[in-house]
Amino acid sequence: MKLKLDVTPDLVAAMAAEVKAGEKAVTAAMREAGSGLKTAWRGQITGAGLGRRLANSIR
């Protein structure tokens, strides 16, 4: 009886998948941080009595 084991992982594909996952994670983190900052800033503008229209101009 012969047993043959051939392990040839595709290192390039594995690294590309890791890079893609990292890019998605960074994008999601920046989006979440940006939304929190924008909401807080809008709240400060509205709280200072400068109006909702000015607060909503924050992009």
Side-chain angles (χ1 to χ4, degrees):
M1 180 170 127
K2 284 188 173 183
L3 181 60
K4 183 179 177 184
L5 179 62
D6 189 17
V7 180
T8 55
D10 189 4
L11 187 58
V12 173
M15 291 304 294
E18 287 297 318
V19 167
K20 187 141 184 110
E23 288 172 349
K24 285 184 178 184
V26 169
T27 299
M30 293 303 295
R31 185 174 292 126
E32 185 177 333
S35 319
L37 179 62
K38 183 170 55 175
T39 301
W41 197 6
R42 285 178 173 175
Q44 290 175 5
I45 291 170
T46 304
L50 297 174
R52 183 158 268 330
R53 290 180 69 193
L54 180 61
N56 285 340
S57 70
I58 303 301
R59 300 276 176 214

